[in-house]
Every structure is written in structure tokens, then in C-alpha cells.
Amino acid sequence: MRRRAMLALGAGLPVASVARAQGSAAAAWPSRPVRLLVPFIPGSAPDVIARQLAERIAPALGQPVVVENRGGAGGNIGFEAAARAAPDGYTLLLGTNSLIINPALTRRSLGFDAFRDFAPITVAFAMPHLLIVPPGGPDSLAALIASLRARPDQNYASGGNGSGAHLAAEMFKARAGVQATHVPFRGAPDIVNNVMSGQVQLGFPTLATATELVRAGRLKALGVTSAARNHALPNVPPIAETLPGFDLVSWFAVMAPAGTPPAVILRVDAAVQDALADAAFRARATADGSTAVGLGPDRFAAFLRREAEIWGEAVRVSGATVD
Amino acid sequence: MKLSDRVSGALLVVLGAAAAISGSRLPAVPGQDVGPAVFPMVVGGGLVLCGAAIALGIGHAFEAPDEEEGGPRGQWYGLRALVPPALLVFYVLVVEPLGFLPTAAIIVGVASAALGAGWRLALPLALVAPFAVHAVFAKLLRVPLPDGLLAAPW
Amino acid sequence: MTHLIEGFNLVAQPDVLLAILLSAVYGLVVGSLPGLSATMATALLVPFTFYLSPIAAVATIITASAMAIFSGDIPGALLRIPGTPASAAYTDEAYAMTRKGQAEMALGAGLWFSAIGGIVGTLSLVLMAPLLAEMALNFSSFEYFWLALLGLMCATLVARSSPVKAIASMLLGLLVACIGIENPAGTPRFTFGLTDLLGGIEVIPALVGVFAVSEVMRAMLTPPPPPIPKRQFGSILAGQWQLTKKYQWPMWRGNIVGIIIGVLPGAGADMAAWISYSMAKRFSKEREKFGTGHPEGLVEAGASNNASLASGWVPSLLFGIPGDTITAIAIGVLYMKGLNPGPTLFTERASSMYALYIIFILANIIMIPLGIVMIRLASHILRAPRAAVMPVIVLLCAVGAFATGANLFSVLLVAVFGCLGFVMERNGYPVAAMVLGIVMGSMLEQTFVTSLIKSDNSVLPFFERPVASVLAALTLGAASWPLIAWLLGRIPGRRAAG
């Protein structure tokens, strides 16, 4: 008991005080392995991030953190499972922007509500999308917009209806006032493939999937969707420089079912923040162009509301709502 | 469940028609002239054609002759085949409240007995196999098998 | 040349060699467990790679995935539970050999020709990676569409049954593939309001159901077969050498087809094995023996399967475009270790590239001795009484299906597909053809819809591009084959029909 409290103290002062207030049950947390639900298949980008985080925060929690993949239906199956899980601190969720996109895509009610069913913990990483064109394509965003105005029958590639790449492109179309036809492929890698070979004229894959090809000159990058430049491709300007206010990123966050004890939330947040502050871990995890965010529980809720507005607008302008 | 080709073909016709009809009611999607309705309609239509062909006996000549097995049996003998799927459904229903180890022991024991094993084989098997499977899947590979009433000793 | 020597030095580190050995054993064991795919085996390795040097980290992924794919054939051959959709193409053949008392021969063929396919595939990676990558890049959705259709046509060739019933089974698989929201329109289809069906039907539970559960269901109705005579086997390898000599041409054809299909992201090993098995049957002098436990198809499909795995790394390493979930994981590990996949990896980090090549070859070589040990151990199962083996299979079906997504709904699917598979087989509908439909369904629809969008609803581009037109001709030829065969069967009179 005493030893556990000391451990909590080591993880951060505020945790220790809350833990005392919560009594022995929370102070004893975690007494068995904690599971981190990933609503996507093994090998997907969220899965790789989850496995890195799980490994890094386990020592601080004093118990293994086990990644459990519940893939399918664009994340809905896993989100629903997390929403229904007992809020005892032994279930964490790797949340992504799909959490707020998916409900906006359908008029049916899904088995979860992003605001009601989850306790925000930490937004860990963000990943911008990259506007790419074939090597022989337009040289600048302005040139692309002019080209799309002149020939509105051009196509853009996405990883599927309602994917980040699809919505980013629709948002771009709306803001720039241009037209292009949506070609929904089976997954994000197909975007790169089809734009590289010139079969489709543009696309908005996540930055990581295209970085090396841009560096090698196999693709031309005209802009990043984040408000700031990205460290992986510092020469690529933000789209916001041409279309002010354009800011759309995919993000990866640690969450828990609503009702999870605050002491647990603070301790997990402390462990994640600690990991993000570790230069070696940070370098390893952001090598692909993602950025460390480290937004704690106090600011996460506001972040979520803002994101819901942004992606909600993207879904509206795309007309992607189904059924 | 040996059906005549007429029956199985007719079943396919019904299934194909149902798929095509309910598929055709799917809403169109803006920007896609070939919407979500087309594929189920084509597949359903194909099933109708194949089902009709089968019911008419087309292609029957290619089939290997049946190997009829076994002698005369009781009227309900065929129901024994349903034991494995029934055990799987049983697993789905009770594994969470009861726990993996007891559920698995019941499944192994019942299946073994149904296959004609004496209790001297079925009982030790039902006791050992669940632990072995749990050790490999839950302990080594971290598959989250539920504890239920009886947690594993590791 | 200096790069090659540096590459050797990178591999010849004790930590790298130990990592290869341990991950080989790990891959063999996990791959042989029904329901646990090679993808799962690889994903579980990711946390361990954090502690390893870059080369050792990649070595574990390469080795474990190659081993897991081979050992996925073991439950397929011994128990009729295929480990991957790819091995479903030849599971019935291998299982037929097991029932003839040739389990070691069947598994040995899987092992030997997998290793050869892996090595030939690696050599193709070494010698012509850039060339293959350009080829893959020129494959547009038009070509993929024909390829998916051609793959589906294999349904009529792999089965020993009426071609009409084979096509019906395949269509049933396509209908199953319609279920869920993962279609080009993102519209939920045939989900009956169930969230669990939104994601569609996973292949692994369907596979386990139609093959393994239906087999146990059959066992419930039949008396135990006479015990397989304990035969004295010579060396597993000696027999393989004879097969290699006898079926040299199918083996090379399998290797080449595997390499070509493997480099196409999204087609990959699944389709390579099916197409190669069908080709082996189509061009064999002894077609009537296929399906009765004849090794020729195993030779070609086994070689093709693993050749495609090796060449599947081409788009992953050169463009960072994963061909399947395993290479997707590998790309993640490469990034973490600073070996960013992309064209520059080949020029700036040439010694590391050579190290990867050497690991591929090494993994395929040690696969042979370790695989032999695994086969000898696993084949003890055949001497256990049926009433002891089958109950454990039921349990493994439940746990294995659950393991694919930690979802009890998958277990229910296994039961449903078990019943479906049982009824289908009793009535002469080949279940393998249905599995093929499930695997290929989404690719077929997706490529068709995206092609039409790109061509503004014109059908002409489906036939205009050179590769597409060749594939179209092949597909239409294969499609009209049942009709031609039926007509031919009728012309000589009623003799053939009666």
C-alpha cells in the first residue's frame, strides 16, 4: 500500500494527492495488466503507435499494457467495445479522428458517442495529410487550383468513403472552389500508387506514406494540411498559406471509458507525457513525420469539440453522409 | 443434409433473387454512377442463373459419384452433426460468465464423448486440453480469454 | 561489391543471428496454431523490435513471417484447417495426401517448394527490384479488375465438381463479401442492423468454419477411419528431390507467376497460390489425379505462394507501399529504425539492403531443417485417436476465431460457416470456391467502380491498355470454358453424360 503510493508519487505529484482522496481502490491501480483497445487491425498506423506507447508507458504504470486489436467497420466495432467496457481503469482506448468522423458520416446512431462515452486522457500524436500530384503535375498550389478550374473533370484518389484523405480533399475543393471527382480506393497506400503513376491527378494521403517518395522525386508535394510546416518535409508550405484557415490533421489519443477514476486518468496522462518528453522515444515515434502533441485531459475536451466542428464541416461539404 | 439438385438449385434461385431485390433498394451515392446496388444485383442475378442451371441438372455429369457411407441408422442420427456448431454457440453464450477454462473443459468433454470416446479418454482430455490452449493463447500470445469463475493459475 | 561484404558483416553479428533463430522458432509455432495468422505473429513481435538493432529488428519480422506462412500449411494438411486464404487453394489436396498416409510427403513438398520459392523470389528482388516496381506501378485498376476476375475463374478449376456448382459457390462467396460497409460507396449492405456485420465477414472465421468445423461435423457421422498405417519414412528431403526433378517446369512456372503477382500490392500471395494451383491442373498431363492427393499442384502453388511473399517486399521497400498487412507492419518497423523505405534506401543504404537480402535467403534456408523438425513433431497428431483430436480442434476453432479480433461474434460466424460448409460439401458445392469469392469480392467491386469513375463510365479502357487486354482475353477464355466443356460433353452423344 505504502509502496504503491510512493510509486504514484514518482509518476507525478498531482496524481498522488488525488490518489489519496480516491482511497485504496484507485491507489492499488493497476494490480493487473491494462488493455489498450485499438479499433484497427494489426499493422495499421494507429496500431503501430499504440504498440510503441504501450511499451513505453508500461514501466511507469508498473503493469504490462496489452494492445488488443478490435478492427472493422472503420473503427466502429472497437469504439463501441471501448464505450461498453467497465470504467475500472483496466481498459484504455487508442482514439483517432475516426471517433468524431464516423458518427458524422451516418444518420443512424452508432453504439457510442464521442463526448458522452469517453474520458479524454492525452492527445499523443498528430499527422498531417499531404497534397500530392504526379511528378509531372502542377508546380504549386496556385497552379493546381488554376488547372482544376480549367479542367474540372480531373480525379482525386482516397482510401475510401469518409477516410481522412477523402474529407481533406473535399474540404480543399470547398475552400478553393474547385471540382474534382472522387475515386475511392481500398486503402491509403493505393492513393500514393495511383498518383505516382499519374492515373489519378491528385490525392491527400497521410504525410508518412508519401514522404520518401517526395524526397526521391517520385511525387510532387504541394502542401501540408496542418497549419504549420512539417519537420519531415520542411520545404512544403502549409495549404493555409494559400487558403487561410485550412487546418486538418489526423490524430491519435489515449482515452478511457467515461467514468474511469480521475486518479487513473491523471496517472496515464503523466505516463504518456513522460514518454513524449523522452527525446529518444519522441525521435523514434515521430520519424515518420507525425508530431508529438501532448495535450492533457484538461485541454483535450476543448480540442475534441473543435475537431468535431472541423471534421463535421468536412463531412458536410463532402456530402459523404450515407444511408 | 443431402438435398437433391432440384432443391439446392431452387434455394440458390431464392437467395439470389432476394439478394438482387434487396440490393436494388440500396441508395445511390453522388459521384458514383455504379453505386452500391450494382454488385449485389449482378451477383444475385448470377446466383439465380446458376441455381436454375443446377436445378435443371446442367453440369451434373462432371460430378464425382457420391461415396455413400455407413449402413442404416436411426432417424435422428444426422442431428449428431450439429454437435460441433452447437458447442461453438455454447462457447459464445457462456464463456464470459463462466470463464474460459470451465467452458473449454465442457466443450472438449462433450465433443469427445460424442465421438465415442470412453470416459478414460474424455475426462483427462477435458482436464488437460483447456489448460494447454490457455497457456499458449492467453499466456504466450496475450489473447484476452475471459477468466470468469476460474482464473488460470498463471 | 563492398556493399555486399558490408551487408554480410551486418548480418553476421551474434545478435542478428540469434534474433533470426528465435524468431524462426516463434514463427513456426505461432503460424501452426489455427486462427493465428502470420500477420498476428508479426504484429506481436513489434514491441520486441524496440530493443534490437535495426538489422536484427527487420530480421525478426522477415524470418517470423516467412516461417509463419509455411507453418500455416501444417494444420491445413493434417487437420484440414488452412492457416491463410492462400493455403485454402491446396488444403484439400494436401489433406487428401494425408488421408492416403502421405502427410510427411505433402508437408515436405510444402516446405521444400516454399523454401525454393522464397529463394527465387528473393533473387528476383535482388536482381530486378526496380524493374518489377515499375511494372507494378503500371498496373492500374483496369488490370486489377481483370486479374480479380481471372482469379475468380480459378474456382471452376480447383474443384472436383460440377463447374456450375463451383461458380454458384463462388457467387455465394461474392455475396458474403458484399456484407458490410467496406465497399466503394461506404454504404452498409446486408448488415441487418448489426454493428458486428458492419465490418464485413472476416476471411479467417469463414475459412476455419467451412473447412475445420465442417470436417468435425462429418466425423460425427462417420465411424473412425482405420488407423493410418505406421510407415517407415525415409528422409523427407529425398522424396522432394524426386518431385523437383519430375515437376521442374510447374515449379518454375509457379515461381515466375508468384513473383509477378506478388509485386502487385493488394493481389499478393492469396491470389498467387490460387492461380498457380489452377494452372498446374490446367496444364497437367494427369489432371484427373488432382484433388485425390497428387503433389503436382502443391509443388506449383507452394513455390508460387512463397515467391510472391518475397517479391511482395518490392513495392514495400522501394515505395513504402505495403502489399499486405505483414509488409505494412514491416514498413512501420523500418521507419522506427531509421531505414525509411523509399527509392533512396537502395542507393544511400545499399549495405543495409544487401543485409536484408541475405536475411531473406538465410531465413528460407534455415526454414528447411527447422521445418522438418516441426513436421515430424506435428505429424504425431495423426496417430492420436480421432476422439481426442477433434474436440481440441473445436476448441481451437473457437479460440482461434476469437483471437483474430477479440470478438465473440467471430466464433458465432465459425459455427454458421461450419454448417454452411457441411451442407455445401454434402451436396457437391466446393467450399474452396466460396472462400475464393470472399477473398476476391471487395477487390473485384472496388477495381470495377474505380475504373469506371476514372474512365467516365466508358468500358473501352478495360480493353485498350495492352496488359489489360491480355488479361481480358485470358479471363473471357476461362469464363467460357465451362460452357465449351459442357457443349463438348454433349456432342459425342449421351455416353459422356450418362
Side-chain angles (χ1 to χ4, degrees), chain C residues 473-493:
Chain C
L474 281 174
T475 311
L476 296 177
S480 49
W481 165 244
L483 192 68
I484 297 167
W486 179 64
L487 289 173
L488 287 179
R490 295 201 62 134
I491 290 165

Side-chain angles (χ1 to χ4, degrees), chain B residues 1-3 5 8 15 22 26 29 32-34 36 39 43 46 59 63 73 77 80-81 104 112 115 136 141 144, chain C residues 33 36 162 165 171-172 178 184-185 189-190 217 220-221 387-388 390-391 395 399 402 426-427 429 445 452 457:
Chain B
M1 270 298 268
K2 177 83 184 143
L3 308 165
D5 279 357
S8 69
L15 180 70
S22 61
L26 289 166
V29 169
Q32 283 182 31
D33 293 306
V34 176
F39 199 60
V43 173
E63 282 184 60
R73 292 193 185 106
Y77 189 82
R80 294 166 55 95
S112 187
L115 282 161
V136 174
L141 299 173
Chain C
L33 296 171
L36 278 188
S162 136
K165 284 188 174 175
L171 289 170
L172 211 53
C178 282
R189 288 194 303 213
F190 306 127
M217 289 171 76
M220 289 282 168
L221 295 181
M390 292 289 180
L395 187 58
V399 179
F402 179 71
R426 285 300 291 255
N427 295 293
Y429 292 85
E445 183 178 15
L452 275 183
N457 295 326

Side-chain angles (χ1 to χ4, degrees), chain A residues 207-233:
Chain A
L207 181 120
T209 53
T211 307
E212 286 301 321
L213 295 163
V214 171
R215 284 186 188 149
R218 301 297 302 251
L219 283 172
K220 211 183 275 178
L222 302 185
V224 287
T225 59
S226 53
R229 286 176 189 252
N230 187 278
H231 58 91
L233 290 170

Side-chain angles (χ1 to χ4, degrees), chain C residues 44-360:
Chain C
L44 290 165
L45 270 181
V46 170
F48 296 98
T49 60
F50 297 158
Y51 305 108
L52 302 174
S53 69
I55 297 296
V58 184
T60 56
I61 303 283
I62 293 175
T63 316
S65 60
M67 300 291 161
I69 292 272
F70 154 69
S71 72
D73 288 354
I74 295 177
L78 297 182
L79 306 170
R80 201 167 179 255
I81 311 178
T84 59
S87 58
Y90 47 85
T91 291
D92 277 338
E93 190 81 73
Y95 188 64
M97 286 183 77
T98 298
R99 286 198 295 189
K100 278 164 62 178
Q102 300 174 345
E104 270 115 335
M105 174 81 137
L107 284 170
L111 176 66
W112 176 249
F113 292 100
S114 290
I116 290 185
I119 290 172
V120 175
T122 308
L123 291 179
S124 78
L125 182 64
V126 178
L127 298 175
M128 30 183 214
L131 192 77
L132 287 170
E134 293 309 322
M135 190 202 93
L137 214 51
N138 281 318
F139 243 69
S140 70
S141 54
F142 300 104
E143 283 83 12
Y144 277 111
F145 168 76
W146 288 116
L147 196 62
L149 213 52
L150 187 63
L152 285 174
M153 288 305 143
C154 296
T156 56
L157 278 168
V158 293
R160 273 172 77 78
S161 80
S162 136
V164 186
K165 284 188 174 175
I167 292 178
S169 305
M170 183 265 283
L171 289 170
L172 211 53
L174 289 181
L175 198 58
V176 170
C178 282
I179 297 174
I181 196 169
E182 273 151 31
N183 51 61
T187 305
R189 288 194 303 213
F190 306 127
T191 56
F192 307 104
L194 295 172
T195 311
D196 285 307
L197 281 179
L198 267 185
I201 304 283
E202 296 265 353
V203 182
I204 297 281
L207 204 61
V208 168
V210 294
F211 281 102
V213 175
S214 73
E215 188 68 19
V216 180
M217 289 171 76
R218 242 187 317 282
M220 289 282 168
L221 295 181
T222 50
I228 292 165
K230 190 158 167 56
R231 289 161 53 170
Q232 199 55 51
F233 279 100
S235 152
I236 290 179
L237 287 184
Q240 302 315 322
W241 182 239
Q242 296 199 332
L243 286 182
T244 315
K245 281 190 292 188
K246 189 167 173 197
Y247 298 120
Q248 212 184 66
W249 169 228
M251 178 188 87
W252 284 111
R253 201 169 46 203
N255 282 330
I256 292 166
V257 168
I259 289 169
I260 293 174
I261 297 182
V263 296
L264 305 173
D270 287 354
M271 197 185 279
W274 285 92
I275 290 191
S276 286
Y277 182 84
S278 321
M279 279 180 57
K281 184 172 177 186
R282 189 74 197 78
F283 294 112
S284 170
K285 295 191 193 79
E286 304 168 299
R287 285 182 64 184
E288 68 288 351
K289 287 191 184 169
F290 273 72
T292 62
H294 183 58
E296 192 175 346
L298 295 183
V299 170
E300 186 157 345
S304 171
N305 195 352
N306 276 48
S308 73
L309 278 171
S311 70
W313 286 75
V314 168
S316 313
L317 291 172
L318 209 60
F319 298 138
I321 297 172
D324 53 26
T325 41
I326 294 176
T327 43
I329 297 171
I331 288 173
V333 171
L334 286 167
Y335 269 118
M336 268 190 283
K337 294 297 178 186
L339 288 169
N340 294 11
T344 47
L345 184 63
F346 285 73
T347 47
E348 287 165 21
R349 309 291 295 266
S351 51
S352 297
M353 276 308 301
Y354 279 105
L356 297 191
Y357 294 148
I358 295 164
I359 292 165
F360 271 110

Side-chain angles (χ1 to χ4, degrees), chain B residues 8-133:
Chain B
S8 69
L11 280 176
L12 287 175
V13 171
V14 171
L15 180 70
I21 291 167
S22 61
S24 69
R25 301 212 178 115
L26 289 166
V29 169
Q32 283 182 31
D33 293 306
V34 176
V38 174
F39 199 60
M41 284 168 70
V42 171
V43 173
L47 271 177
V48 170
L49 288 180
C50 282
I54 290 164
L56 295 175
I58 294 171
H60 189 76
F62 286 88
E63 282 184 60
D66 273 336
E67 12 184 311
E68 243 357 285
E69 67 266 303
R73 292 193 185 106
Q75 200 182 351
W76 302 106
Y77 189 82
L79 288 181
R80 294 166 55 95
L82 289 176
V83 171
L87 287 173
L88 290 171
V89 174
F90 172 77
Y91 180 92
V92 173
L93 293 177
V94 307
V95 72
E96 266 167 1
L98 201 57
F100 174 76
L101 291 173
T103 314
I106 294 171
I107 287 179
V108 171
V110 171
S112 187
L115 282 161
W119 64 271
R120 288 209 305 207
L121 174 61
L123 201 62
L125 191 70
L127 290 179
V128 174
F131 282 97
V133 170

Side-chain angles (χ1 to χ4, degrees), chain A residues 49-228:
Chain A
I49 285 179
R51 285 176 195 276
Q52 290 181 1
L53 268 178
E55 188 66 22
R56 181 61 181 72
I57 65 173
L61 301 182
Q63 282 285 347
V65 177
V66 183
V67 171
E68 194 179 311
N69 300 94
R70 296 286 294 265
N76 286 344
I77 290 176
F79 292 138
E80 190 176 328
R84 285 188 189 163
D88 54 6
Y90 293 98
T91 300
L92 301 175
L93 167 74
L94 190 95
T96 70
N97 39 334
S98 303
L99 196 60
I100 49 178
I101 294 177
N102 293 0
L105 282 174
T106 174
R107 272 179 229 115
R108 286 182 323 122
S109 80
L110 295 172
F112 64 90
D113 181 290
F115 295 93
R116 189 191 62 212
D117 293 332
F118 302 102
I121 302 182
T122 323
V123 185
F125 296 102
M127 168 68 80
H129 292 250
L130 194 64
L131 169 52
I132 54 166
V133 294
D139 286 318
S140 69
L141 194 53
L144 174 71
I145 292 174
S147 153
L148 287 169
R149 289 229 169 93
R151 281 185 46 224
D153 60 338
Q154 301 186 63
N155 298 327
Y156 74 90
S158 90
N161 226 34
S163 63
H166 171 209
L167 297 179
E170 288 295 334
M171 191 80 150
F172 168 74
K173 276 167 59 182
R175 294 282 178 92
V178 293
Q179 285 304 313
T181 310
H182 178 209
V183 187
F185 288 98
R186 279 198 300 173
D190 284 343
I191 307 174
V192 175
N193 212 351
N194 279 281
V195 176
M196 188 162 42
S197 58
Q199 292 169 35
V200 176
Q201 287 75 32
L202 64 149
F204 281 85
T206 52
L207 181 120
T209 53
T211 307
E212 286 301 321
L213 295 163
V214 171
R215 284 186 188 149
R218 301 297 302 251
L219 283 172
K220 211 183 275 178
L222 302 185
V224 287
T225 59
S226 53

